Amino acid sequence: EPEVTQTPSHQVTQMGQEVILRCVPISNHLYFYWYRQILGQKVEFLVSFYNNEISEKSEIFDDQFSVERPDGSNFTLKIRSTKLEDSAMYFCASILQLRQETQYFGPGTRLLVL
Amino acid sequence: QQQVKQSPQSLIVQKGGISIINCAYENTAFDYFPWYQQFPGKGPALLIAIRPDVSEKKEGRFTISFNKSAKQFSLHIMDSQPGDSATYFCAAGPGGYQKVTFGTGTKLQVIP
Protein backbone atom coordinates (compact mmCIF):
# COMPACT_ATOMS: atom_id res chain seq x y z
CA GLU A 1 0.00 0.00 0.00
CA PRO A 2 1.37 3.45 -0.87
CA GLU A 3 2.51 5.48 2.10
CA VAL A 4 3.84 8.88 3.04
CA THR A 5 7.55 8.82 3.82
CA GLN A 6 9.58 11.32 5.81
CA THR A 7 13.29 11.92 6.24
CA PRO A 8 15.19 12.09 8.44
CA SER A 9 13.51 10.08 11.17
CA HIS A 10 15.49 11.99 13.79
CA GLN A 11 17.25 15.35 13.63
CA VAL A 12 19.30 17.01 16.33
CA THR A 13 20.28 20.62 15.80
CA GLN A 14 21.66 23.59 17.68
CA MET A 15 19.42 26.54 18.48
CA GLY A 16 19.55 29.11 15.71
CA GLN A 17 20.40 26.61 12.99
CA GLU A 18 18.25 25.99 9.93
CA VAL A 19 16.62 22.61 9.41
CA ILE A 20 14.80 21.14 6.46
CA LEU A 21 12.38 18.30 7.00
CA ARG A 22 11.49 16.26 3.96
CA CYS A 23 8.35 14.41 2.99
CA VAL A 24 7.38 12.35 -0.01
CA PRO A 25 3.57 12.29 -0.16
CA ILE A 26 1.67 9.49 -1.85
CA SER A 27 2.31 9.94 -5.55
CA ASN A 28 -1.11 10.98 -6.87
CA HIS A 29 -2.11 13.04 -3.86
CA LEU A 30 -2.80 16.71 -4.36
CA TYR A 31 -3.12 18.34 -0.96
CA PHE A 32 -0.39 18.39 1.66
CA TYR A 33 -0.09 19.27 5.31
CA TRP A 34 2.44 19.67 8.08
CA TYR A 35 1.43 19.01 11.67
CA ARG A 36 3.56 18.88 14.79
CA GLN A 37 3.29 17.08 18.10
CA ILE A 38 5.23 18.28 21.11
CA LEU A 39 6.09 15.32 23.31
CA GLY A 40 3.04 14.09 25.18
CA GLN A 41 0.76 16.71 23.67
CA LYS A 42 -1.82 16.78 20.92
CA VAL A 43 -1.16 16.98 17.21
CA GLU A 44 -1.27 20.61 16.01
CA PHE A 45 -1.87 21.88 12.49
CA LEU A 46 0.89 23.99 10.99
CA VAL A 47 0.15 24.52 7.31
CA SER A 48 -1.68 23.17 4.29
CA PHE A 49 -0.43 23.40 0.71
CA TYR A 50 -2.18 23.01 -2.62
CA ASN A 51 -1.28 23.88 -6.18
CA ASN A 52 2.13 25.17 -5.12
CA GLU A 53 0.88 27.64 -2.60
CA ILE A 54 -0.09 27.78 1.05
CA SER A 55 -3.84 27.28 1.56
CA GLU A 56 -3.97 27.83 5.28
CA LYS A 57 -1.52 28.29 8.12
CA SER A 58 -1.79 28.38 11.88
CA GLU A 59 -0.46 31.00 14.25
CA ILE A 60 2.43 28.65 14.98
CA PHE A 61 3.58 28.92 11.36
CA ASP A 62 5.38 32.25 11.63
CA ASP A 63 8.06 33.81 9.44
CA GLN A 64 10.61 31.26 10.63
CA PHE A 65 8.73 28.52 8.80
CA SER A 66 8.39 27.94 5.08
CA VAL A 67 7.18 25.11 2.86
CA GLU A 68 8.07 24.15 -0.64
CA ARG A 69 7.39 21.48 -3.22
CA PRO A 70 10.59 21.86 -5.20
CA ASP A 71 10.38 18.97 -7.64
CA GLY A 72 6.84 17.63 -7.81
CA SER A 73 7.48 14.80 -5.39
CA ASN A 74 9.16 16.15 -2.27
CA PHE A 75 7.34 18.44 0.14
CA THR A 76 9.64 20.24 2.57
CA LEU A 77 9.28 22.19 5.79
CA LYS A 78 12.10 24.61 6.55
CA ILE A 79 12.66 26.18 9.94
CA ARG A 80 15.02 29.09 9.41
CA SER A 81 16.36 29.68 12.90
CA THR A 82 15.34 26.93 15.28
CA LYS A 83 14.29 27.61 18.85
CA LEU A 84 14.21 25.23 21.79
CA GLU A 85 10.43 25.17 21.63
CA ASP A 86 10.53 23.85 18.06
CA SER A 87 11.53 20.47 19.50
CA ALA A 88 8.68 18.18 18.48
CA MET A 89 7.62 15.39 16.18
CA TYR A 90 6.74 16.80 12.77
CA PHE A 91 4.24 14.91 10.63
CA CYS A 92 3.56 15.32 6.97
CA ALA A 93 0.15 14.29 5.65
CA SER A 94 -1.55 14.21 2.28
CA ILE A 95 -4.96 13.64 0.76
CA LEU A 96 -5.86 12.33 -2.66
CA GLN A 97 -8.19 15.09 -3.79
CA LEU A 98 -10.03 18.07 -2.40
CA ARG A 99 -13.23 16.19 -1.65
CA GLN A 100 -11.52 13.28 0.03
CA GLU A 101 -11.04 13.74 3.73
CA THR A 102 -8.77 10.90 4.80
CA GLN A 103 -5.41 12.39 5.64
CA TYR A 104 -2.56 9.91 5.35
CA PHE A 105 0.20 10.66 7.81
CA GLY A 106 3.88 9.89 7.51
CA PRO A 107 5.88 8.34 10.36
CA GLY A 108 7.23 11.72 11.46
CA THR A 109 10.57 13.40 12.03
CA ARG A 110 11.61 13.85 15.63
CA LEU A 111 13.37 17.21 15.89
CA LEU A 112 15.44 18.03 18.94
CA VAL A 113 16.78 21.55 19.30
CA LEU A 114 19.61 21.93 21.82
CA GLN B 1 -14.25 27.74 19.14
CA GLN B 2 -11.66 25.50 17.56
CA GLN B 3 -11.06 23.29 20.60
CA VAL B 4 -11.79 19.61 20.76
CA LYS B 5 -11.85 18.28 24.31
CA GLN B 6 -11.05 14.63 24.90
CA SER B 7 -11.30 12.40 27.95
CA PRO B 8 -9.99 10.41 29.67
CA GLN B 9 -6.30 11.16 29.31
CA SER B 10 -5.46 7.53 29.97
CA LEU B 11 -7.44 4.32 30.20
CA ILE B 12 -6.66 0.82 31.36
CA VAL B 13 -9.04 -1.91 30.23
CA GLN B 14 -8.96 -5.66 30.67
CA LYS B 15 -8.79 -7.83 27.59
CA GLY B 16 -12.31 -8.43 26.32
CA GLY B 17 -13.68 -5.29 27.94
CA ILE B 18 -15.13 -2.17 26.36
CA SER B 19 -12.98 0.93 25.96
CA ILE B 20 -14.85 4.22 25.78
CA ILE B 21 -13.29 7.56 24.86
CA ASN B 22 -15.27 10.77 24.76
CA CYS B 23 -14.86 14.01 22.86
CA ALA B 24 -16.68 17.32 22.72
CA TYR B 25 -16.39 20.12 20.23
CA GLU B 26 -17.50 23.73 20.09
CA ASN B 27 -17.44 24.79 16.46
CA THR B 28 -20.79 24.12 14.80
CA ALA B 29 -19.09 24.39 11.41
CA PHE B 30 -17.33 21.09 12.04
CA ASP B 31 -18.75 18.47 9.73
CA TYR B 32 -16.24 15.63 9.83
CA PHE B 33 -15.19 13.68 12.90
CA PRO B 34 -12.35 11.17 12.51
CA TRP B 35 -10.63 9.05 15.09
CA TYR B 36 -6.94 8.36 14.73
CA GLN B 37 -4.89 5.57 16.27
CA GLN B 38 -1.21 6.19 16.98
CA PHE B 39 1.37 3.62 17.99
CA PRO B 40 4.66 4.75 19.55
CA GLY B 41 7.04 6.13 16.95
CA LYS B 42 4.41 6.14 14.22
CA GLY B 43 2.18 8.75 12.67
CA PRO B 44 -1.55 8.88 13.37
CA ALA B 45 -3.58 6.50 11.23
CA LEU B 46 -7.26 6.95 10.47
CA LEU B 47 -9.33 4.40 12.37
CA ILE B 48 -12.91 5.41 11.66
CA ALA B 49 -14.76 8.62 10.85
CA ILE B 50 -18.30 9.92 10.97
CA ARG B 51 -20.31 12.80 9.58
CA PRO B 52 -23.13 14.37 11.62
CA ASP B 53 -25.93 13.04 9.43
CA VAL B 54 -25.72 9.70 11.26
CA SER B 55 -25.74 9.01 14.99
CA GLU B 56 -23.63 5.88 14.92
CA LYS B 57 -21.09 4.18 12.70
CA LYS B 58 -19.63 0.74 13.26
CA GLU B 59 -16.60 -0.87 11.70
CA GLY B 60 -15.72 -4.21 13.20
CA ARG B 61 -15.05 -3.76 16.90
CA PHE B 62 -14.95 0.04 16.61
CA THR B 63 -18.07 2.20 16.92
CA ILE B 64 -18.46 5.97 16.86
CA SER B 65 -21.52 7.42 18.58
CA PHE B 66 -22.41 10.98 17.65
CA ASN B 67 -24.71 13.41 19.47
CA LYS B 68 -25.09 16.52 17.36
CA SER B 69 -27.24 18.48 19.82
CA ALA B 70 -24.75 17.92 22.62
CA LYS B 71 -21.78 18.40 20.29
CA GLN B 72 -20.25 15.21 21.59
CA PHE B 73 -18.94 12.05 20.03
CA SER B 74 -17.35 8.94 21.41
CA LEU B 75 -15.36 5.90 20.37
CA HIS B 76 -16.27 2.49 21.70
CA ILE B 77 -13.84 -0.40 21.27
CA MET B 78 -15.62 -3.68 21.91
CA ASP B 79 -13.76 -6.82 22.98
CA SER B 80 -10.61 -4.78 23.55
CA GLN B 81 -7.36 -6.58 22.76
CA PRO B 82 -3.75 -5.97 23.85
CA GLY B 83 -2.99 -5.02 20.24
CA ASP B 84 -5.39 -2.10 20.64
CA SER B 85 -3.00 -0.52 23.15
CA ALA B 86 -2.16 2.81 21.55
CA THR B 87 -2.96 6.50 21.81
CA TYR B 88 -6.30 7.49 20.33
CA PHE B 89 -7.05 10.97 19.08
CA CYS B 90 -10.42 12.32 18.17
CA ALA B 91 -10.44 15.15 15.67
CA ALA B 92 -12.92 17.44 13.99
CA GLY B 93 -12.97 19.67 10.96
CA PRO B 94 -15.16 21.30 8.35
CA GLY B 95 -14.64 18.37 6.00
CA GLY B 96 -13.07 18.03 2.60
CA TYR B 97 -9.48 19.13 2.32
CA GLN B 98 -9.59 21.43 5.31
CA LYS B 99 -7.43 20.89 8.39
CA VAL B 100 -8.62 18.85 11.33
CA THR B 101 -8.29 19.91 14.94
CA PHE B 102 -7.09 17.13 17.19
CA GLY B 103 -8.14 16.32 20.73
CA THR B 104 -5.53 15.88 23.43
CA GLY B 105 -5.32 12.09 23.08
CA THR B 106 -6.13 9.07 25.21
CA LYS B 107 -3.48 6.52 26.01
CA LEU B 108 -5.21 3.14 26.08
CA GLN B 109 -3.64 0.12 27.69
CA VAL B 110 -5.37 -3.23 27.36
CA ILE B 111 -4.09 -5.71 29.90
CA PRO B 112 -4.34 -9.49 29.43
PDB file of all heavy atoms in Angstrom, chain A residues 56-85:
ATOM      1  N   GLU A  56      -3.633  27.374   3.936  1.00  0.00           N
ATOM      2  CA  GLU A  56      -3.975  27.833   5.279  1.00  0.00           C
ATOM      3  C   GLU A  56      -2.767  27.615   6.175  1.00  0.00           C
ATOM      4  O   GLU A  56      -2.004  26.682   5.969  1.00  0.00           O
ATOM      5  CB  GLU A  56      -5.185  27.056   5.828  1.00  0.00           C
ATOM      6  CG  GLU A  56      -5.697  27.558   7.150  1.00  0.00           C
ATOM      7  CD  GLU A  56      -6.909  26.787   7.663  1.00  0.00           C
ATOM      8  OE1 GLU A  56      -7.351  25.819   7.004  1.00  0.00           O
ATOM      9  OE2 GLU A  56      -7.412  27.148   8.733  1.00  0.00           O
ATOM     10  N   LYS A  57      -2.594  28.488   7.154  1.00  0.00           N
ATOM     11  CA  LYS A  57      -1.518  28.293   8.121  1.00  0.00           C
ATOM     12  C   LYS A  57      -2.010  28.688   9.501  1.00  0.00           C
ATOM     13  O   LYS A  57      -2.913  29.519   9.639  1.00  0.00           O
ATOM     14  CB  LYS A  57      -0.274  29.091   7.733  1.00  0.00           C
ATOM     15  CG  LYS A  57      -0.488  30.578   7.628  1.00  0.00           C
ATOM     16  CD  LYS A  57       0.788  31.259   7.162  1.00  0.00           C
ATOM     17  CE  LYS A  57       0.576  32.773   7.072  1.00  0.00           C
ATOM     18  NZ  LYS A  57       1.804  33.483   6.638  1.00  0.00           N
ATOM     19  N   SER A  58      -1.403  28.078  10.508  1.00  0.00           N
ATOM     20  CA  SER A  58      -1.794  28.382  11.878  1.00  0.00           C
ATOM     21  C   SER A  58      -0.903  29.509  12.417  1.00  0.00           C
ATOM     22  O   SER A  58       0.080  29.907  11.785  1.00  0.00           O
ATOM     23  CB  SER A  58      -1.653  27.142  12.752  1.00  0.00           C
ATOM     24  OG  SER A  58      -0.279  26.846  12.963  1.00  0.00           O
ATOM     25  N   GLU A  59      -1.258  29.942  13.624  1.00  0.00           N
ATOM     26  CA  GLU A  59      -0.463  31.003  14.247  1.00  0.00           C
ATOM     27  C   GLU A  59       0.939  30.521  14.620  1.00  0.00           C
ATOM     28  O   GLU A  59       1.845  31.315  14.812  1.00  0.00           O
ATOM     29  CB  GLU A  59      -1.198  31.565  15.469  1.00  0.00           C
ATOM     30  CG  GLU A  59      -1.488  30.555  16.567  1.00  0.00           C
ATOM     31  CD  GLU A  59      -2.763  29.779  16.340  1.00  0.00           C
ATOM     32  OE1 GLU A  59      -3.377  29.877  15.254  1.00  0.00           O
ATOM     33  OE2 GLU A  59      -3.149  29.028  17.266  1.00  0.00           O
ATOM     34  N   ILE A  60       1.103  29.209  14.698  1.00  0.00           N
ATOM     35  CA  ILE A  60       2.430  28.648  14.979  1.00  0.00           C
ATOM     36  C   ILE A  60       3.352  28.888  13.782  1.00  0.00           C
ATOM     37  O   ILE A  60       4.553  29.113  13.920  1.00  0.00           O
ATOM     38  CB  ILE A  60       2.339  27.135  15.237  1.00  0.00           C
ATOM     39  CG1 ILE A  60       1.405  26.835  16.406  1.00  0.00           C
ATOM     40  CG2 ILE A  60       3.713  26.544  15.486  1.00  0.00           C
ATOM     41  CD1 ILE A  60       1.056  25.364  16.531  1.00  0.00           C
ATOM     42  N   PHE A  61       2.803  28.839  12.613  1.00  0.00           N
ATOM     43  CA  PHE A  61       3.578  28.920  11.356  1.00  0.00           C
ATOM     44  C   PHE A  61       3.935  30.378  11.097  1.00  0.00           C
ATOM     45  O   PHE A  61       3.304  31.076  10.299  1.00  0.00           O
ATOM     46  CB  PHE A  61       2.750  28.334  10.213  1.00  0.00           C
ATOM     47  CG  PHE A  61       3.536  28.058   8.957  1.00  0.00           C
ATOM     48  CD1 PHE A  61       4.166  26.839   8.783  1.00  0.00           C
ATOM     49  CD2 PHE A  61       3.639  29.007   7.947  1.00  0.00           C
ATOM     50  CE1 PHE A  61       4.882  26.567   7.624  1.00  0.00           C
ATOM     51  CE2 PHE A  61       4.352  28.756   6.791  1.00  0.00           C
ATOM     52  CZ  PHE A  61       4.973  27.531   6.628  1.00  0.00           C
ATOM     53  N   ASP A  62       4.986  30.858  11.792  1.00  0.00           N
ATOM     54  CA  ASP A  62       5.379  32.254  11.628  1.00  0.00           C
ATOM     55  C   ASP A  62       6.451  32.375  10.553  1.00  0.00           C
ATOM     56  O   ASP A  62       6.687  31.440   9.783  1.00  0.00           O
ATOM     57  CB  ASP A  62       5.848  32.820  12.982  1.00  0.00           C
ATOM     58  CG  ASP A  62       7.050  32.090  13.552  1.00  0.00           C
ATOM     59  OD1 ASP A  62       7.796  31.442  12.776  1.00  0.00           O
ATOM     60  OD2 ASP A  62       7.256  32.154  14.769  1.00  0.00           O
ATOM     61  N   ASP A  63       7.100  33.523  10.504  1.00  0.00           N
ATOM     62  CA  ASP A  63       8.057  33.808   9.437  1.00  0.00           C
ATOM     63  C   ASP A  63       9.281  32.896   9.459  1.00  0.00           C
ATOM     64  O   ASP A  63      10.049  32.874   8.494  1.00  0.00           O
ATOM     65  CB  ASP A  63       8.525  35.277   9.530  1.00  0.00           C
ATOM     66  CG  ASP A  63       7.410  36.234   9.202  1.00  0.00           C
ATOM     67  OD1 ASP A  63       6.407  35.777   8.618  1.00  0.00           O
ATOM     68  OD2 ASP A  63       7.529  37.423   9.537  1.00  0.00           O
ATOM     69  N   GLN A  64       9.482  32.181  10.555  1.00  0.00           N
ATOM     70  CA  GLN A  64      10.615  31.261  10.630  1.00  0.00           C
ATOM     71  C   GLN A  64      10.354  29.979   9.843  1.00  0.00           C
ATOM     72  O   GLN A  64      11.276  29.211   9.574  1.00  0.00           O
ATOM     73  CB  GLN A  64      10.892  30.891  12.095  1.00  0.00           C
ATOM     74  CG  GLN A  64      11.378  32.056  12.929  1.00  0.00           C
ATOM     75  CD  GLN A  64      12.664  32.648  12.396  1.00  0.00           C
ATOM     76  OE1 GLN A  64      13.618  31.935  12.082  1.00  0.00           O
ATOM     77  NE2 GLN A  64      12.708  33.963  12.262  1.00  0.00           N
ATOM     78  N   PHE A  65       9.111  29.734   9.500  1.00  0.00           N
ATOM     79  CA  PHE A  65       8.733  28.517   8.805  1.00  0.00           C
ATOM     80  C   PHE A  65       8.457  28.807   7.328  1.00  0.00           C
ATOM     81  O   PHE A  65       7.941  29.877   6.978  1.00  0.00           O
ATOM     82  CB  PHE A  65       7.460  27.916   9.411  1.00  0.00           C
ATOM     83  CG  PHE A  65       7.624  27.357  10.797  1.00  0.00           C
ATOM     84  CD1 PHE A  65       7.474  28.172  11.914  1.00  0.00           C
ATOM     85  CD2 PHE A  65       7.904  26.015  10.993  1.00  0.00           C
ATOM     86  CE1 PHE A  65       7.611  27.658  13.199  1.00  0.00           C
ATOM     87  CE2 PHE A  65       8.032  25.483  12.268  1.00  0.00           C
ATOM     88  CZ  PHE A  65       7.890  26.311  13.370  1.00  0.00           C
ATOM     89  N   SER A  66       8.781  27.854   6.486  1.00  0.00           N
ATOM     90  CA  SER A  66       8.389  27.938   5.082  1.00  0.00           C
ATOM     91  C   SER A  66       8.207  26.525   4.549  1.00  0.00           C
ATOM     92  O   SER A  66       8.751  25.559   5.099  1.00  0.00           O
ATOM     93  CB  SER A  66       9.425  28.699   4.249  1.00  0.00           C
ATOM     94  OG  SER A  66      10.672  28.024   4.266  1.00  0.00           O
ATOM     95  N   VAL A  67       7.402  26.405   3.505  1.00  0.00           N
ATOM     96  CA  VAL A  67       7.176  25.110   2.864  1.00  0.00           C
ATOM     97  C   VAL A  67       7.397  25.267   1.377  1.00  0.00           C
ATOM     98  O   VAL A  67       7.256  26.346   0.806  1.00  0.00           O
ATOM     99  CB  VAL A  67       5.763  24.547   3.125  1.00  0.00           C
ATOM    100  CG1 VAL A  67       5.611  24.087   4.556  1.00  0.00           C
ATOM    101  CG2 VAL A  67       4.689  25.550   2.756  1.00  0.00           C
ATOM    102  N   GLU A  68       7.736  24.130   0.770  1.00  0.00           N
ATOM    103  CA  GLU A  68       8.074  24.153  -0.643  1.00  0.00           C
ATOM    104  C   GLU A  68       7.830  22.777  -1.226  1.00  0.00           C
ATOM    105  O   GLU A  68       7.951  21.756  -0.526  1.00  0.00           O
ATOM    106  CB  GLU A  68       9.564  24.500  -0.779  1.00  0.00           C
ATOM    107  CG  GLU A  68       9.989  24.974  -2.129  1.00  0.00           C
ATOM    108  CD  GLU A  68      11.445  25.381  -2.125  1.00  0.00           C
ATOM    109  OE1 GLU A  68      12.277  24.710  -1.491  1.00  0.00           O
ATOM    110  OE2 GLU A  68      11.760  26.396  -2.781  1.00  0.00           O
ATOM    111  N   ARG A  69       7.456  22.747  -2.506  1.00  0.00           N
ATOM    112  CA  ARG A  69       7.393  21.476  -3.218  1.00  0.00           C
ATOM    113  C   ARG A  69       8.312  21.632  -4.429  1.00  0.00           C
ATOM    114  O   ARG A  69       7.877  21.964  -5.519  1.00  0.00           O
ATOM    115  CB  ARG A  69       5.961  21.185  -3.652  1.00  0.00           C
ATOM    116  CG  ARG A  69       5.781  19.760  -4.095  1.00  0.00           C
ATOM    117  CD  ARG A  69       4.396  19.231  -3.814  1.00  0.00           C
ATOM    118  NE  ARG A  69       4.383  17.802  -4.046  1.00  0.00           N
ATOM    119  CZ  ARG A  69       3.794  17.226  -5.088  1.00  0.00           C
ATOM    120  NH1 ARG A  69       3.179  17.956  -5.986  1.00  0.00           N
ATOM    121  NH2 ARG A  69       3.837  15.916  -5.215  1.00  0.00           N
ATOM    122  N   PRO A  70       9.600  21.432  -4.207  1.00  0.00           N
ATOM    123  CA  PRO A  70      10.588  21.858  -5.199  1.00  0.00           C
ATOM    124  C   PRO A  70      10.581  21.061  -6.506  1.00  0.00           C
ATOM    125  O   PRO A  70      10.965  21.602  -7.543  1.00  0.00           O
ATOM    126  CB  PRO A  70      11.920  21.673  -4.454  1.00  0.00           C
ATOM    127  CG  PRO A  70      11.643  20.661  -3.406  1.00  0.00           C
ATOM    128  CD  PRO A  70      10.213  20.842  -3.019  1.00  0.00           C
ATOM    129  N   ASP A  71      10.173  19.798  -6.451  1.00  0.00           N
ATOM    130  CA  ASP A  71      10.376  18.969  -7.641  1.00  0.00           C
ATOM    131  C   ASP A  71       9.181  18.096  -7.978  1.00  0.00           C
ATOM    132  O   ASP A  71       9.322  17.116  -8.688  1.00  0.00           O
ATOM    133  CB  ASP A  71      11.620  18.093  -7.443  1.00  0.00           C
ATOM    134  CG  ASP A  71      11.502  17.231  -6.193  1.00  0.00           C
ATOM    135  OD1 ASP A  71      10.383  17.141  -5.626  1.00  0.00           O
ATOM    136  OD2 ASP A  71      12.513  16.654  -5.774  1.00  0.00           O
ATOM    137  N   GLY A  72       8.031  18.402  -7.482  1.00  0.00           N
ATOM    138  CA  GLY A  72       6.839  17.632  -7.810  1.00  0.00           C
ATOM    139  C   GLY A  72       6.661  16.356  -7.029  1.00  0.00           C
ATOM    140  O   GLY A  72       5.632  15.698  -7.155  1.00  0.00           O
ATOM    141  N   SER A  73       7.662  15.986  -6.226  1.00  0.00           N
ATOM    142  CA  SER A  73       7.480  14.799  -5.389  1.00  0.00           C
ATOM    143  C   SER A  73       7.767  15.113  -3.925  1.00  0.00           C
ATOM    144  O   SER A  73       6.995  14.751  -3.055  1.00  0.00           O
ATOM    145  CB  SER A  73       8.345  13.639  -5.875  1.00  0.00           C
ATOM    146  OG  SER A  73       9.707  13.968  -5.805  1.00  0.00           O
ATOM    147  N   ASN A  74       8.853  15.801  -3.646  1.00  0.00           N
ATOM    148  CA  ASN A  74       9.163  16.147  -2.268  1.00  0.00           C
ATOM    149  C   ASN A  74       8.336  17.328  -1.794  1.00  0.00           C
ATOM    150  O   ASN A  74       7.973  18.220  -2.569  1.00  0.00           O
ATOM    151  CB  ASN A  74      10.651  16.506  -2.141  1.00  0.00           C
ATOM    152  CG  ASN A  74      11.533  15.299  -2.287  1.00  0.00           C
ATOM    153  OD1 ASN A  74      11.643  14.489  -1.390  1.00  0.00           O
ATOM    154  ND2 ASN A  74      12.150  15.168  -3.446  1.00  0.00           N
ATOM    155  N   PHE A  75       8.053  17.335  -0.506  1.00  0.00           N
ATOM    156  CA  PHE A  75       7.341  18.444   0.144  1.00  0.00           C
ATOM    157  C   PHE A  75       8.150  18.741   1.392  1.00  0.00           C
ATOM    158  O   PHE A  75       8.328  17.871   2.244  1.00  0.00           O
ATOM    159  CB  PHE A  75       5.909  18.018   0.464  1.00  0.00           C
ATOM    160  CG  PHE A  75       5.081  19.053   1.172  1.00  0.00           C
ATOM    161  CD1 PHE A  75       5.008  20.359   0.722  1.00  0.00           C
ATOM    162  CD2 PHE A  75       4.331  18.699   2.285  1.00  0.00           C
ATOM    163  CE1 PHE A  75       4.224  21.294   1.365  1.00  0.00           C
ATOM    164  CE2 PHE A  75       3.539  19.633   2.945  1.00  0.00           C
ATOM    165  CZ  PHE A  75       3.498  20.932   2.486  1.00  0.00           C
ATOM    166  N   THR A  76       8.696  19.955   1.489  1.00  0.00           N
ATOM    167  CA  THR A  76       9.639  20.235   2.570  1.00  0.00           C
ATOM    168  C   THR A  76       9.112  21.305   3.517  1.00  0.00           C
ATOM    169  O   THR A  76       8.354  22.196   3.121  1.00  0.00           O
ATOM    170  CB  THR A  76      10.995  20.704   2.021  1.00  0.00           C
ATOM    171  OG1 THR A  76      10.810  21.920   1.297  1.00  0.00           O
ATOM    172  CG2 THR A  76      11.617  19.658   1.113  1.00  0.00           C
ATOM    173  N   LEU A  77       9.542  21.175   4.765  1.00  0.00           N
ATOM    174  CA  LEU A  77       9.285  22.186   5.787  1.00  0.00           C
ATOM    175  C   LEU A  77      10.641  22.708   6.242  1.00  0.00           C
ATOM    176  O   LEU A  77      11.490  21.924   6.671  1.00  0.00           O
ATOM    177  CB  LEU A  77       8.528  21.582   6.965  1.00  0.00           C
ATOM    178  CG  LEU A  77       8.317  22.492   8.176  1.00  0.00           C
ATOM    179  CD1 LEU A  77       7.337  23.615   7.844  1.00  0.00           C
ATOM    180  CD2 LEU A  77       7.804  21.703   9.383  1.00  0.00           C
ATOM    181  N   LYS A  78      10.839  24.008   6.125  1.00  0.00           N
ATOM    182  CA  LYS A  78      12.097  24.614   6.554  1.00  0.00           C
ATOM    183  C   LYS A  78      11.831  25.474   7.789  1.00  0.00           C
ATOM    184  O   LYS A  78      10.872  26.251   7.817  1.00  0.00           O
ATOM    185  CB  LYS A  78      12.694  25.488   5.449  1.00  0.00           C
ATOM    186  CG  LYS A  78      14.042  26.095   5.822  1.00  0.00           C
ATOM    187  CD  LYS A  78      14.464  27.201   4.869  1.00  0.00           C
ATOM    188  CE  LYS A  78      14.883  26.703   3.537  1.00  0.00           C
ATOM    189  NZ  LYS A  78      15.433  27.775   2.671  1.00  0.00           N
ATOM    190  N   ILE A  79      12.678  25.292   8.776  1.00  0.00           N
ATOM    191  CA  ILE A  79      12.662  26.182   9.937  1.00  0.00           C
ATOM    192  C   ILE A  79      13.975  26.957   9.880  1.00  0.00           C
ATOM    193  O   ILE A  79      15.053  26.378   9.964  1.00  0.00           O
ATOM    194  CB  ILE A  79      12.540  25.416  11.267  1.00  0.00           C
ATOM    195  CG1 ILE A  79      11.375  24.425  11.217  1.00  0.00           C
ATOM    196  CG2 ILE A  79      12.327  26.406  12.419  1.00  0.00           C
ATOM    197  CD1 ILE A  79      11.257  23.527  12.442  1.00  0.00           C
ATOM    198  N   ARG A  80      13.852  28.261   9.725  1.00  0.00           N
ATOM    199  CA  ARG A  80      15.025  29.088   9.406  1.00  0.00           C
ATOM    200  C   ARG A  80      16.003  29.196  10.571  1.00  0.00           C
ATOM    201  O   ARG A  80      17.186  29.021  10.412  1.00  0.00           O
ATOM    202  CB  ARG A  80      14.583  30.479   8.983  1.00  0.00           C
ATOM    203  CG  ARG A  80      15.059  30.887   7.609  1.00  0.00           C
ATOM    204  CD  ARG A  80      14.591  32.267   7.247  1.00  0.00           C
ATOM    205  NE  ARG A  80      13.159  32.412   7.280  1.00  0.00           N
ATOM    206  CZ  ARG A  80      12.337  32.022   6.303  1.00  0.00           C
ATOM    207  NH1 ARG A  80      12.806  31.477   5.209  1.00  0.00           N
ATOM    208  NH2 ARG A  80      11.031  32.189   6.415  1.00  0.00           N
ATOM    209  N   SER A  81      15.508  29.489  11.730  1.00  0.00           N
ATOM    210  CA  SER A  81      16.356  29.683  12.903  1.00  0.00           C
ATOM    211  C   SER A  81      15.665  28.988  14.077  1.00  0.00           C
ATOM    212  O   SER A  81      14.771  29.550  14.704  1.00  0.00           O
ATOM    213  CB  SER A  81      16.531  31.177  13.183  1.00  0.00           C
ATOM    214  OG  SER A  81      17.294  31.382  14.355  1.00  0.00           O
ATOM    215  N   THR A  82      16.081  27.764  14.331  1.00  0.00           N
ATOM    216  CA  THR A  82      15.343  26.928  15.279  1.00  0.00           C
ATOM    217  C   THR A  82      15.440  27.461  16.698  1.00  0.00           C
ATOM    218  O   THR A  82      16.463  28.033  17.116  1.00  0.00           O
ATOM    219  CB  THR A  82      15.867  25.484  15.242  1.00  0.00           C
ATOM    220  OG1 THR A  82      17.309  25.503  15.340  1.00  0.00           O
ATOM    221  CG2 THR A  82      15.448  24.801  13.952  1.00  0.00           C
ATOM    222  N   LYS A  83      14.348  27.260  17.430  1.00  0.00           N
ATOM    223  CA  LYS A  83      14.288  27.613  18.849  1.00  0.00           C
ATOM    224  C   LYS A  83      14.083  26.328  19.648  1.00  0.00           C
ATOM    225  O   LYS A  83      13.660  25.305  19.108  1.00  0.00           O
ATOM    226  CB  LYS A  83      13.121  28.571  19.091  1.00  0.00           C
ATOM    227  CG  LYS A  83      13.178  29.852  18.279  1.00  0.00           C
ATOM    228  CD  LYS A  83      12.146  30.851  18.739  1.00  0.00           C
ATOM    229  CE  LYS A  83      10.811  30.640  18.119  1.00  0.00           C
ATOM    230  NZ  LYS A  83      10.742  31.144  16.728  1.00  0.00           N
ATOM    231  N   LEU A  84      14.377  26.410  20.935  1.00  0.00           N
ATOM    232  CA  LEU A  84      14.205  25.228  21.788  1.00  0.00           C
ATOM    233  C   LEU A  84      12.779  24.684  21.700  1.00  0.00           C
ATOM    234  O   LEU A  84      12.573  23.465  21.669  1.00  0.00           O
ATOM    235  CB  LEU A  84      14.541  25.563  23.246  1.00  0.00           C
ATOM    236  CG  LEU A  84      15.984  25.979  23.543  1.00  0.00           C
ATOM    237  CD1 LEU A  84      16.128  26.369  25.016  1.00  0.00           C
ATOM    238  CD2 LEU A  84      16.955  24.863  23.194  1.00  0.00           C
ATOM    239  N   GLU A  85      11.823  25.599  21.645  1.00  0.00           N
ATOM    240  CA  GLU A  85      10.426  25.173  21.630  1.00  0.00           C
ATOM    241  C   GLU A  85       9.972  24.575  20.310  1.00  0.00           C
ATOM    242  O   GLU A  85       8.829  24.133  20.189  1.00  0.00           O
ATOM    243  CB  GLU A  85       9.508  26.342  22.031  1.00  0.00           C
ATOM    244  CG  GLU A  85       9.685  27.598  21.221  1.00  0.00           C
ATOM    245  CD  GLU A  85      10.629  28.599  21.854  1.00  0.00           C
ATOM    246  OE1 GLU A  85      11.619  28.184  22.497  1.00  0.00           O
ATOM    247  OE2 GLU A  85      10.379  29.802  21.699  1.00  0.00           O
TER     248      GLU A  85
END
